[in-house]
Amino acid sequence: MSDKAQPVELPPITLFADGPTEEIREANMEAVTPSPGFPDCCFLLVEAIVKRADIILMDYTRDQVTVRFQIDGVWHDLPPRDRASGDLMLATLKKLANLDFQERRNRQKGEFGAEWMTKTHRFEITSQGVRTGERVVLRTDRPKKKLEKLEDLGIRPKLLAAFQELSEASEGLILFSSLPGDGKSTLWRCGLNSVDRFTRDYYSIESQDALEPEIINVAQITFDPNIDETPLDKLPQLLLRQPDVMCLPDLVSGEVVNEVCTTIRDQQKQFYGYIPSRSALEAILRVLSLKPDPAAFAESLSAVLHERIVRKLCEDCRQPYDPSPQMLAKLGIPTGRVQKFYDEWRPPPPEEQVDEKGNPIEIPVCPKCNGIGYYGRTGIFELLVITEEIREVIRKKPSLDALTAAASKGGHISLKDEGIVLVAKGTTSIQELQRVLKK
Ligand SMILES: [Zn+2]
């Protein structure tokens, strides 16, 4: 961070103020450049870009400002700032976004631009007074890897092949599931992009208030929840068009599930649905909580594909270690199968961050991940194929324990075991796997 006592050399970032006209943009820029909060803004924005932050969160309380970066979905604390310098910085940020810098209570939203290392960036800023002070959220437009298919999300080739084989069935219900709010649209798009949509007619029935991005060769049909419409209002007319496959990103109610099951039974159609849940097995319970007819649901369901997002270890600085026989036994990995596990890089304890004379030394951090130890994310996929045993449990005593027991009889690989495959490959660490499985 900038040291106020010394003249500060600013990092080579160029900021672009926002405003409705060229004059206002120029005036805003002229106002911010000499402002006392400008250097701190430059340092903060550069740090956010370099560390690949998606969100910068600043919470203003009476005495201080806490600053956090969200990187690969995980919050990282930065050193807190004193309120006075934080206020100066915020005034500069607001002016850059053509907002009223004196307004500290009402919600304001704007944006501004930046250029760093020949790349342009946009920052969207939202400020809002809260009980403790003010909350400021800066979102970056960090370019993201194009995610189009399940392979892009990291599914194992064998699991993908098994899923694609299931998708070739002419009838039945296949469910996608992920944690609530955890990449539903991406999973939905990549899942449907990974099945053959070219030899059969696909239709998607979606709420007009929550449209999924369009998918090639999947025709969108919308219902309006504001006038109490549900997918059921669109299904009869859709069936007249003789579709082969229908996709419902929101199962909405038990009534809808029942209609899906009836259509599968009577007209031999295939359906895809989405339900938020913590695992493939829990997805079944989530659907049952909508109170459909359990027997009809058991008969129709053919598979569940669940995805959990995990951070990948930085390949430039991950630390190999020998897993103990006890650890391997606990994870169910035969001895000799895996030689090395990997852990994230961690700085040495403070007492070791000194030279022989006891003077503090700077510990170099990995330039790729900036010492975070992780770089990018991937999906852990769990594919549950519905067996006769599982159907029996759904009909009679659907509990997580009973479903788990029935699934393991059929050789089902749990989400945890799929995660251990990634640990054994060195893609992620045990700690990271435990963190995401606890969610
Ligand atoms: Zn690294």
Side-chain angles (χ1 to χ4, degrees), residues 314-318 366-371 373-374:
C314 172
E315 289 183 9
D316 289 8
C317 66
R318 62 184 184 179
C366 168
K368 184 174 175 186
C369 68
N370 273 286
Y374 293 91

Side-chain angles (χ1 to χ4, degrees), residues 169-281:
S170 57
E171 58 184 86
L173 169 63
I174 294 179
L175 290 175
F176 292 112
S177 108
S178 63
L179 286 178
D182 205 359
K184 172 189 172 183
S185 291
T186 309
L187 173 63
W188 183 252
R189 179 180 72 244
C190 294
L192 291 179
N193 268 333
S194 299
V195 300
D196 172 24
R197 298 164 336 279
F198 298 95
T199 55
R200 294 196 277 173
D201 284 332
Y202 278 70
Y203 287 88
S204 179
I205 310 178
E206 303 177 18
S207 160
Q208 69 172 43
D209 289 352
L211 283 183
E212 292 298 328
E214 276 191 53
I215 298 166
I216 295 170
N217 278 16
V218 178
Q220 260 174 342
I221 289 179
T222 61
F223 64 91
D224 184 358
N226 304 305
I227 52 167
D228 291 331
E229 276 186 343
T230 74
L232 294 184
D233 295 297
K234 299 292 169 179
L235 199 58
Q237 65 195 79
L238 173 55
L239 285 168
L240 295 175
R241 296 193 211 175
Q242 301 282 327
D244 299 308
V245 185
M246 284 157 280
C247 310
L248 291 167
D250 287 298
L251 288 170
V252 184
S253 67
E255 226 187 331
V256 169
V257 178
N258 281 340
E259 196 56 39
V260 165
C261 296
T262 307
T263 310
I264 291 169
R265 188 194 63 205
D266 297 344
Q267 304 196 39
Q268 291 78 47
K269 301 291 182 190
Q270 193 187 35
F271 280 85
Y272 287 90
Y274 172 89
I275 193 95
S277 77
R278 298 186 68 253
S279 70
L281 290 163

